[in-house]
Every structure is written in C-alpha cells, then in structure tokens.
Amino acid sequence: MSGQKKKVVLIGWDAADWKIINPMLAQGLLPNLQQLIQDGTIGNLRTLDPPYSPMLWTSMATGKRPYKHGVLGFTEPTPDGKSVRPTMGTSRKVRAIWNMLTLEEKKCHVVGWWPSHPVDKINGVMVSDLYQKAKGSKFDEWIMPKGTVHPDEESEKFADLRVHHEELTGSILQPFLPNLNKIDKVKDKRYRSVAKVTADCSSLHAAFTNILRTREYDFAAIYLDAIDHYCHGFMRFHPPKRDHIPQEDFDNYYNVVTAGYRYHDMMLGRIMELAGKDATIMLVSDHGFQPDEMRPRDIPQEPAGPAYEHSPYGIIVVKGPGIKKNKFVFGASVIDVTPTLLTLMDMPVGDDMDGKVLLDIFEDEPEIKSIPSWEDVPGYCGKAGKDDDLSDEDAEKVMAQLEELGYIEKQTEDKEKRLKQTIDECDYNLARSYLDGGLINEAIPILEKLFSENPGTTRFAIKLAGCYQTLGQLKKARGIIDHLRNIESYTDVVLDVMDAVLMVSERRPLEAIKLFKEAEGKVNPHQSRIYMQIGMAYLQLSRWEDAERALQQELSLDFDNEHAHFILGKLMLQQHKFEESVACFMNSLNLDFNQPIVHSFLGQALYQLGKYEKAAEALELSVDLYPKNTSLYPILSDIYKRHLGDPERARYYDDKLQEIEVPLIYVVSGLPRSGTSMMMQMLDKGGLEPFTDKKREADENNPRGYYEHEAVKNLAKNSKFLVGAKGKVVKVIAQLLHHLPAKYRYKVVFMERDLDQVVSSQNKMITRLGTEKEKDENRKELKRTYEDQLERIQKWASTSKNVEIMYINHKEVVESPFEASMRVNEFFGYELLPELMAMQVDGSLHREKS
Amino acid sequence: MDENKKQKIVFKDKDGNSFSIPPQGSLGLLALGDIGLTAWRQVREQSRAEKRQEIIDKKNKNKA
C-alpha cells in the first residue's frame, strides 16, 4: 500500500440494513454490492443514540459524538436565539474529515452530506444537502439557494445536473411501482413521493459522477438519504404482507423498497467503475431499518417519531488495496469511520475523537499516527463560518420550504412555542448523547430541567427515571412512575412494565415477574424487552433454567439484543459453563464492541478456560475502553507473571498502576441505623480490612461492634488520617461524605433503609441510652431533614468524579444476603468472598420491620 | 425536417456494444449519472422537437 497514491471513496446509504440486503444478495439482485463484498471486508456498523441522521452523519464525518460536534437534531434555534432553522453545516462545532484533508492540501469532494449547507470552501468541490431539494413544480422555477456549491462559479453547471421529480416518466417509476397505471392518482398521492425521492438521489448521483469523471481526487464522498425515505414510506408494504395492510396498498407498493435498493446497486456500479480499481471504497449506513416482524405497527406521535422504525445496526463494506477480502469486521461503530479513513490515508487520528481505527479490515496492521486534536492544527481548512451562514430571513424560507416538502415536520404557528420545543428537543438529544457516551452525570441535570419544565412529556420523564434507576436512586425513579400514572396519555400496562423493570432493580423479582406475566401479550415484546427483564428477575432468584429460557426467548425475538447475550453469558459463567459464556459474550461484542464490562467478563471466562493469552487480550481491551477500571491491572499483571511468562508485560501493568493510581479508599456510608455496621462486618469477613480504632465497643444496639474510627467524626476539619485508610474500608456517616478530600478515589457502598425504620431505630436507640423519649413530632421533622440530606448526597456523588457509589437496600441485604454480597463484590472488583460476607447477616438483629 | 436530426443518438457501452436511448428514459440511464442524464435529456429534447415538427407538418399538409 505504501508509496501508492491513496484514493478513497466514501458512500453513505442512509438506513441500509443487512436484513434486507442479504436476501436480495441471495437472489442475485444486487450484483455490484455482491462484488464489493466479495472483494472486501464487511460488518455491522453500530449506530449512536439518538439515531437521528443529521447527528449520525456528522459523527460519521468527525469521529466524535454529538455532545462534542454540536449537531443536535433536525432543527435548531437560529444563532440569535429568536427563531428556528433547519440544522446547518455551520452548526458543526468541530472540523470534519474534509476540513482535515483541506489542511493537508489533499483533493477532496463532498456531495450531499447532511448537514452541509452552506458549503465549506474545501480543496475541491462541495455540494450541499439542499442541492437536490426541488422547489416549485417546474424545473425552470427551481432556484438553487446561495451556498449550495463550492466553488461558486461551478453553481450553474451543477444546477443543470439536478433532476426534478416532474421529469421522471412512467418508464422510470415502473420498477418501483409495477401497478403505476392502476393507482388512482387523484386519491392516492404516495406514488409522488417515490418520484421525489428517486429524483433527489439521482441529482446527487449525477453531481458525484460528474466530479469523479472529470476531476482528480484523494477523497470523494456522497451521501444519499433515499433508502431511508423509501423505507419510511413503504417498508410497511414490503413482503411478507401483514394482516392489517390492505391488499390494494400492498399490490401497489410492495416493490418500492426492493427497487430502491436495486437502483442504489446500479448507482454503486457506476461509482465503482469511475472510482477505478486502485481506489478504496467504503460503503456505510448510519443505522438499519426494521424489515421483518420487528416493524412497528404504529409510530409514536412525537418529534422524530419515525426513528422508531430504525434498527441499531447499519452496514459497513470496505474494499481496496490492502483491505482484507471476504472477511467480517466486528464491533464497528459510526464514530469509527473517520479515524479509519484517516489511517487509510496515512493521516493522524485526533486523540479527542471518540471512535477507533478498524484495524481488522487491514491485511497488514497499519501504523496509527495520532495528534492531540485536529482542531488545533493551524492552516486553511475551508470550514464555513458565521459570515457564510444563511440570513435569518433565508433560513425561514428554507425552513418553510423543507416543511412544505415534508423533509421536516410542520411546526406550530406560535413562534415562541416552536422555539421552546426546538430548544427542548435539542437539549433532550444532547442528554441522550451524553447517556450513549456513558456520561450519565452530564445527562441528569439536563433531563431534570426538561422534566421540571415539561412534567407532561412522558419521554423526558421515562429517560430521567432510567437514569435514576441506573444510579440506584430507586425512590426518585419510583416517584416519576407514580407521576406518570397520573398522566392520562399513558396506558397502565406500559407503566406496569416500567414498574416491573424498576422492581428488578429494587431486587423484588417475584413481584416483578408477576407484573411482567400480566403484561405479556399486551405490550410489544420487542420494544419492552420483556423476556430479558423476566430473565434478569429469575437470575435474582437463582432460577437458572427459567432465566435461560426467558433469555433465549428474548433472543429468538431479537438476536441483535446485545444486552440479552451479555446477561445470558453472565448466567453461563455463574453456572461454570465457560465455553457457553464465551460464546454469549462474543455475540454481545459482535453487536456492540464498545462494552468494557463485557470484555472484562469475557476475560474472566477465558481465564477459567485456561486461555490466558486471549483472556489478557480481552481484559486489555476492557481497560482500553474504560481506563478508569484500574482494578484489572493487578489481574493482568498476574496473568502475564504466572501464566504467560512475560514478567516485562506484568511489570508494565504494575508500573502503570503505580503511575496513575490515585489511592482508593472503600467507604461504607448511610444514615445512622441504616445497616452500616452490618455492611462493615460483612466486608471485614469478606476480606477487606476495616479502618477502625475499635474504641467504640459492641453494645446492645450493635452487638457485633460499630467498626468506627474516632477521627472520622472530625473529618470536616482534618482528613489527614485517611492516609491510613488507603486500600481499606472506612465507615463515614452520610452527613460527612462531602468532606472526603478530592485527592483519593472512593468506592462508596451507601446503605438505604426505609426512613421510618431509620428514625424509629434511632429513637429506640436513644431511648435505650436514656437520653430522650420517642416523640412523634421529632420523627416527622427528622425524616424531612434526612430526605433533604439524602438528596444532597446523591447530587454530591453524581457530580464528584473521584466517587463511584452503589446504593444498596438494608432490606435486600437482610432478606437476600448472598445476592447482596455478590453485588457488592462486583462493585468492588471481585476481590471479596461473598459466601463469607453473606454468613454475617443475622436476620434476628434486624429489629425494625416495616 | 433535416435528415441529421431524425437520426437516433446512439451510445456505446464499455464493451463497444451500441444501444439507443429511449425518449422516456430509464432508471439505468439515471444510474449512469451525469452522462446518462445529459444523454437522456438530449434524446428527449430531440424527440419533442420531432413531435413538434410532425404536428406542424401535419397541419401544413391539412392546410394544403
């Protein structure tokens, strides 16, 4: 590959999906794609959440997630914040690959990328995403907006290459609509959208082929959204026919999707021909589209509702010099496209990119060059600035045009309301993007604001409840579900499922299973993932066979559910079925490679099988993806030292641990009388050394001891004593947690207990000590104070980067000590002995029953 | 009508085989990109001109 001029062609097919492509390939309907596949490497391309095209294609072109690149939806507030406009190329805050290529003086051409209007003035031709959108009913009335073509002087030539939908004849539309002559064109206008979509992609294809035919290039890219449009409009009529689809509609529109793919294959053939044999061709899609029984029958009435029809995996096919032939690449994601393209062109990858280089596509592993960030590289990159932006007036016109054409949803007349809706939608998408990137603490404040301002919007509420659930803040999550029950638009059965999901988190598996069983048959099993949840509930009950049956049922409905594969893998691991667990973890990773916890479990399973080299590889991948998980370093060191005979590599991990390790202190916390002493005792017996001065002796209130240290009481004024607590577990009451100094890392197990029980227990203790009598008014006041304090602690924990917290319920520990011990052991990195921990729980000491 | 204008525009594929372009166009032509589009429009214009001429000739014949 080296020494050869590298030419790369990137082709984007919005929503292309293997589930449709594969049967068509088998029938020989896509010969050009077949050729590309035979000569190249293919794979699934994992989408991002939210799966909205302007955000995804910007991630594709930048290697960054939306919270970094700034494109947050289909529409956005204008820069002055007064009105709404379609998302523009200037909304992108970071450089795209064509800006990087321009900096390197490479010849690059880009056609139709979404969003790319107004065009960047790159080192080549750029045609914006407004180019193909026809206005008016005649070609002569179709004026191209300013900023559509770079260089501007080429505008006229490219304007002539546009195809107007009115030009398309019956002969051209016949392959899509075999019954075209029978369609009642007065009543049924759907055939027109086939013409419009076909004309749009033909315009872009004509511009792109002209560029490829007449110009030199290092990089050329085209984006076509037609497959997505064909699918949104006509996938419901795609065979097999479902009962609720009228026969006449089926007869008229059954072939639109198939013909759409075949047309794309024909265009692909022409591009391959023009690109030349020495070019590397990469074909990608940003997400898939449900083609089979997964097709939703109804689309939610909400902004971007049609995205519910998307599936989470797009496609990737790469073919060219130095690319493996007839191979499969695993774990690819939308954000990997730009880093991989840069490596293909011997250019450095930005350290600030979220994606990785898809090394598995290369015959010989390439050298990956890197720089801190492309944003800091000086020079001309061609990126359009504010001066190139559309005026507010023009933006309004474009907006109105796009609404009229149906490219974006018609907005409300009330301008203020429209602006507020747009701001909320962008914020919601930003929060979802943070969540997708694993930044839950960044997402929560945004969702809390959205929920407080829009308490009737169930989407916001559900997402926030999910965050609370993930963080173990189950009371808050339950509060939201209770709130939703008061909103008429939500059906009880959906809420029952949500409730049951929460019950699984609350470790109430029997109640959860009962609710799930009642909901079975009444909710869409794909969307609710009901069988996966049932499987998780059975797992909590240690009913392995039932759990496995439910998880297999989930996978028979949706084999692409990576979480179900993972949970099944954990189930196999628990039963010491190591081979099976490896297969499950691999299935999960094949669907989504970016799951550090799955790599970590895979490493454990491989270790058990004695496959130490592969175990080390899996654990190293886990560390690469989540460097904060330093608990794997000692394990890796051990594998290299004891099993692989590589002391140097072992030392590498030992040194790394020394270099980066901020001392870790384990903390048990909670309100007084919430079970903190019990947890300290469990951890002590489980193998974690307690940091205690043993001054406070066991008494009637805590017959097994308090496990306290006097110095902790003075934590607010002096924290020096914590140096002695490194690697040990220390008990810190909830009210003092925020005084823990930032120079250490903390893993906090926070004991939760019903506040009435806590207050009651405290009062009894005080009564026993003879200091004060139990009074009802004091109980209420104390309970309110505790509620406030708990909220502040949750906020502190979620905003402190050096703190990982796990909430665990006192009742759960008492009733299911082994499961609780397993959870704590998992949180602490599997260094404890859960069996011994569980043996320390004495139910008879649990005085305050609810 | 000029004899040259009546001649059909003939294209050749990469193997040298000739093919004619139907005035009503085809998906295959659009898939060829700018070349196919331009050729189709040429043929379409030629066909329209021929039809216009035929109508004029017919009218003139009737008048005569």
Side-chain angles (χ1 to χ4, degrees):
Chain A
M1 230 167 78
S2 60
Q4 204 176 324
K5 183 176 156 64
K6 279 151 193 152
K7 292 161 68 180
V8 177
V9 175
L10 175 65
I11 304 165
W13 285 359
D14 200 307
D17 194 311
W18 290 120
K19 284 184 186 166
I20 307 179
I21 290 170
N22 285 332
M24 292 184 70
L25 287 171
Q27 292 173 67
L29 298 177
L30 305 172
N32 297 304
L33 182 54
Q34 181 77 61
Q35 190 64 51
L36 201 66
I37 291 167
Q38 271 172 9
D39 295 345
T41 295
I42 68 166
N44 289 320
L45 200 61
R46 172 88 188 174
T47 193
L48 304 176
D49 189 74
Y52 301 155
S53 294
M55 302 168 75
L56 295 170
W57 290 99
T58 306
S59 287
M60 197 93 82
T62 60
K64 293 179 178 175
R65 289 180 179 275
Y67 57 78
K68 285 187 186 169
H69 65 56
V71 172
L72 295 173
F74 294 90
T75 55
E76 62 185 9
T78 49
D80 64 5
K82 288 181 182 165
S83 57
V84 176
R85 67 177 191 178
T87 303
M88 295 280 159
T90 42
S91 317
R92 197 184 70 243
K93 293 190 293 193
V94 301
R95 291 169 173 174
I97 186 162
W98 47 85
N99 302 119
M100 301 165 204
L101 290 156
T102 298
L103 278 164
E104 296 281 299
E105 297 180 4
K106 304 257 188 197
K107 230 9 168 192
C108 56
H109 312 288
V110 181
V111 173
W113 212 262
W114 191 13
S116 63
H117 192 95
V119 280
D120 286 356
K121 291 165 181 146
I122 57 175
N123 186 28
V125 176
M126 188 151 184
V127 175
S128 89
D129 59 313
L130 293 189
Y131 168 74
Q132 75 279 15
K133 294 179 170 52
K135 193 182 178 188
S137 60
K138 289 181 184 163
F139 193 93
D140 298 343
E141 295 167 2
W142 187 6
I143 295 161
M144 207 161 69
K146 188 172 168 279
T148 302
V149 173
H150 166 77
D152 193 33
E153 54 269 26
E154 303 266 1
S155 294
E156 204 176 323
K157 182 183 96 180
F158 280 100
D160 285 343
L161 292 176
R162 295 172 302 167
V163 181
H164 196 286
H165 55 269
E166 291 293 337
E167 283 186 275
L168 299 194
T169 62
S171 293
I172 292 170
L173 295 175
Q174 199 76 30
F176 297 90
L177 306 162
N179 271 357
L180 181 62
N181 294 335
K182 291 183 191 162
I183 294 174
D184 181 346
K185 297 183 187 60
V186 178
K187 284 185 188 162
D188 185 356
K189 304 281 185 199
R190 285 174 289 186
Y191 76 96
R192 289 173 64 90
S193 70
V194 176
K196 196 157 73 65
V197 173
T198 307
D200 282 2
C201 66
S202 301
S203 298
L204 293 165
H205 180 62
F208 194 57
T209 47
N210 180 271
I211 291 167
L212 284 182
R213 203 171 52 76
T214 59
R215 291 166 193 269
E216 290 286 311
Y217 72 94
D218 296 298
F219 174 81
I222 181 171
Y223 161 74
L224 302 173
D225 62 5
I227 287 178
D228 189 56
H229 288 302
Y230 290 133
C231 290
H232 279 301
F234 302 96
M235 182 59 84
R236 73 198 66 169
F237 309 117
H238 189 68
K241 178 184 171 301
R242 290 171 296 167
D243 292 343
H244 65 282
I245 300 294
Q247 188 64 45
E248 189 183 348
D249 282 350
F250 181 77
D251 292 343
N252 290 342
Y253 297 111
Y254 75 94
N255 204 44
V256 174
V257 172
T258 304
Y261 269 94
R262 292 189 73 179
Y263 181 41
H264 278 67
D265 185 71
M266 291 157 76
M267 291 191 283
L268 173 65
R270 176 63 171 156
I271 291 172
M272 286 163 68
E273 185 185 9
L274 291 172
K277 285 191 174 146
D278 57 337
T280 299
I281 295 178
M282 184 187 282
L283 171 67
V284 288
S285 66
D286 55 339
H287 54 76
F289 204 98
Q290 306 289 10
D292 41 32
E293 71 281 0
M294 299 280 283
R295 285 177 285 188
R297 189 172 163 162
D298 303 306
I299 308 296
Q301 292 298 311
E302 61 181 52
Y308 277 84
E309 293 179 288
H310 296 166
S311 73
Y313 299 100
I315 66 164
I316 181 166
V317 187
V318 197
K319 168 248 157 195
I323 303 294
K324 285 179 188 165
K325 289 182 176 57
N326 212 7
K327 292 284 176 191
F328 199 93
V329 60
F330 293 103
S333 161
V334 157
I335 45 176
D336 301 334
V337 169
T338 283
T340 305
L341 289 171
L342 289 169
T343 302
L344 271 168
M345 287 182 285
D346 277 342
M347 288 167 64
V349 178
D351 291 340
D352 58 346
M353 289 178 182
D354 298 305
K356 61 186 180 301
V357 179
L358 297 173
L359 289 172
D360 284 349
I361 68 168
F362 294 92
E363 279 173 347
D364 301 315
E365 193 165 306
E367 180 199 352
I368 300 176
K369 298 171 187 166
S370 72
I371 54 171
S373 174
W374 275 96
E375 305 309 311
D376 305 328
V377 176
Y380 178 76
C381 73
K383 191 170 180 327
K386 281 184 182 168
D387 296 344
D388 303 299
D389 230 337
L390 290 179
S391 67
D392 287 354
E393 196 186 340
D394 282 347
E396 281 280 330
K397 279 186 199 161
V398 172
M399 187 80 181
Q401 183 193 347
L402 294 178
E403 283 177 12
E404 187 192 325
L405 294 168
Y407 287 103
I408 54 175
E409 198 184 354
K410 277 219 186 300
Q411 306 284 311
T412 165
E413 286 297 311
D414 182 342
K415 274 194 171 186
E416 269 186 33
K417 196 175 168 192
R418 186 167 92 166
L419 181 61
K420 173 78 171 80
Q421 275 176 351
T422 303
I423 292 169
D424 284 351
E425 223 41 57
C426 287
D427 283 347
Y428 182 53
N429 291 342
L430 176 63
R432 285 174 68 177
S433 174
Y434 276 131
L435 286 175
D436 195 44
L439 302 175
I440 192 166
N441 292 331
E442 277 76 1
I444 285 181
I446 300 169
L447 291 168
E448 283 175 337
K449 179 172 171 282
L450 285 169
F451 178 53
S452 73
E453 290 176 4
N454 308 275
T457 308
T458 49
R459 292 177 296 137
F460 302 159
I462 290 169
K463 196 59 83 179
L464 182 58
C467 289
Y468 288 147
Q469 199 173 333
T470 305
L471 289 177
Q473 299 175 12
L474 304 181
K475 277 190 183 162
K476 282 187 172 181
R478 182 155 297 292
I480 291 178
I481 290 180
D482 291 344
H483 162 85
L484 287 176
R485 285 204 185 272
N486 295 322
I487 297 174
E488 286 175 4
S489 63
Y490 240 71
T491 57
D492 281 344
V493 67
V494 173
L495 281 172
D496 285 347
V497 170
M498 286 176 63
D499 214 338
V501 170
L502 189 54
M503 283 171 180
V504 175
S505 291
E506 290 169 336
R507 304 267 155 172
R508 294 158 61 194
L510 284 172
E511 291 163 85
I513 289 167
K514 187 169 175 280
L515 269 186
F516 283 133
K517 292 282 180 191
E518 283 168 10
E520 211 176 346
K522 295 176 196 161
V523 289
N524 182 335
H526 308 117
Q527 282 167 1
S528 60
R529 294 187 161 183
I530 192 170
Y531 295 112
M532 183 175 82
Q533 295 291 339
I534 291 172
M536 288 163 74
Y538 278 129
L539 259 177
Q540 290 176 3
L541 293 166
S542 305
R543 285 168 60 176
W544 313 129
E545 281 180 18
D546 290 329
E548 185 175 346
R549 198 174 305 117
L551 289 166
Q552 294 290 9
Q553 197 167 356
E554 175 72 33
L555 289 169
S556 70
L557 288 168
D558 180 12
F559 194 76
D560 288 351
N561 182 343
E562 72 275 12
H563 299 296
H565 286 293
F566 172 52
I567 296 162
L568 189 57
K570 277 172 70 172
L571 170 63
M572 296 296 162
L573 193 61
Q574 268 168 325
Q575 297 176 86
H576 293 199
K577 296 177 180 173
F578 301 119
E579 293 278 3
E580 289 91 335
S581 72
V582 167
C584 294
F585 295 138
M586 287 301 293
N587 282 337
S588 180
L589 290 170
N590 288 344
L591 291 161
D592 182 3
F593 194 72
N594 294 305
Q595 301 182 87
I597 188 154
V598 185
H599 286 289
S600 162
F601 271 90
L602 175 64
Q604 291 174 51
L606 289 164
Y607 181 91
Q608 295 294 340
L609 287 167
K611 296 180 178 175
Y612 300 114
E613 205 165 326
K614 290 217 174 286
E617 198 179 305
L619 294 171
E620 282 177 331
L621 272 167
S622 179
V623 170
D624 284 349
L625 290 167
Y626 186 59
K628 265 174 95 177
N629 191 2
T630 51
S631 65
L632 294 180
Y633 290 170
I635 303 170
L636 277 162
S637 166
D638 181 62
I639 292 176
Y640 279 114
K641 212 178 291 168
R642 289 202 303 128
H643 300 292
L644 297 177
D646 189 347
E648 252 183 62
R649 192 74 181 151
R651 206 172 306 119
Y652 166 80
Y653 282 105
D654 290 339
D655 293 348
K656 209 165 168 179
L657 199 60
Q658 292 291 322
E659 273 170 33
I660 66 155
E661 192 183 36
V662 176
L664 175 66
I665 296 174
Y666 301 94
V667 177
V668 169
S669 187
L671 294 169
R673 306 303 295 164
S674 60
T676 48
S677 301
M678 173 178 67
M679 181 53 68
M680 285 295 287
Q681 190 190 352
M682 289 166 69
L683 291 169
D684 180 16
K685 302 300 174 195
L688 195 55
E689 188 182 344
F691 179 72
T692 167
D693 55 11
K694 297 182 182 167
K695 279 189 183 167
R696 193 174 180 188
E697 289 179 2
D699 58 19
E700 185 193 348
N701 297 304
N702 258 336
R704 292 183 173 179
Y706 281 87
Y707 285 88
E708 288 177 0
H709 198 296
E710 278 284 304
V712 176
K713 290 178 184 166
N714 204 27
L715 181 62
K717 291 179 183 164
N718 184 357
S719 61
K720 281 185 184 165
F721 69 92
L722 282 172
V723 73
K726 285 192 279 187
K728 298 178 185 172
V729 58
V730 58
K731 183 167 142 187
V732 179
I733 61 161
Q735 291 83 347
L736 291 177
L737 274 179
H738 67 283
H739 291 298
L740 287 170
K743 63 180 173 181
Y744 300 114
R745 286 190 303 125
Y746 304 97
K747 282 201 168 197
V748 182
V749 172
F750 195 95
M751 298 298 297
E752 287 185 315
R753 189 177 183 185
D754 182 89
L755 285 180
D756 286 324
Q757 287 183 29
V758 168
V759 173
S760 172
S761 178
Q762 285 180 8
N763 280 341
K764 281 190 180 172
M765 179 178 170
I766 293 166
T767 306
R768 273 196 290 271
L769 290 171
T771 54
E772 197 179 320
K773 289 186 178 177
E774 189 175 346
K775 292 178 183 172
D776 273 356
E777 59 270 27
N778 282 354
R779 290 171 67 108
K780 283 178 190 164
E781 182 60 32
L782 201 53
K783 192 179 166 191
R784 267 196 298 276
T785 309
Y786 281 157
E787 280 170 351
D788 289 348
Q789 285 175 343
L790 287 176
E791 194 154 322
R792 280 202 293 275
I793 288 160
Q794 284 170 353
K795 201 161 271 181
W796 165 81
S798 63
T799 53
S800 304
K801 288 188 174 162
N802 59 331
V803 174
E804 285 178 77
I805 195 162
M806 172 192 162
Y807 297 89
I808 190 159
N809 194 282
H810 178 266
K811 191 178 167 199
E812 177 197 342
V813 178
V814 172
E815 290 181 357
S816 313
F818 182 68
E819 282 76 11
S821 302
M822 292 278 279
R823 277 183 70 205
V824 174
N825 189 30
E826 185 176 345
F827 179 60
F828 280 178
Y830 300 98
E831 290 175 358
L832 303 171
L833 298 166
E835 293 85 355
L836 290 182
M837 287 170 70
M839 284 166 67
Q840 307 312 310
V841 180
D842 181 352
S844 67
L845 297 177
H846 175 61
R847 297 186 189 83
E848 306 302 328
K849 307 274 183 202
S850 45
Chain B
M1 194 177 196
D2 186 348
E3 280 302 307
N4 286 336
K5 280 189 185 168
K6 278 187 182 172
Q7 277 180 359
K8 279 194 174 170
I9 298 174
V10 175
F11 282 82
K12 288 188 177 175
D13 65 18
K14 58 187 175 186
D15 301 321
N17 302 317
S18 61
F19 62 95
S20 59
I21 292 176
Q24 66 273 27
S26 69
L27 260 190
L29 278 170
L30 291 180
L32 269 181
D34 61 332
I35 294 267
L37 176 65
T38 309
W40 170 43
R41 282 176 174 164
Q42 268 181 22
V43 171
R44 190 179 63 190
E45 282 314 303
Q46 185 179 321
S47 168
R48 283 176 183 170
E50 283 172 7
K51 275 189 182 145
R52 272 197 299 273
Q53 192 59 48
E54 271 176 30
I55 293 166
I56 292 166
D57 291 347
K58 210 173 179 180
K59 275 184 185 170
N60 289 341
K61 205 175 173 183
N62 287 342
K63 274 183 191 172

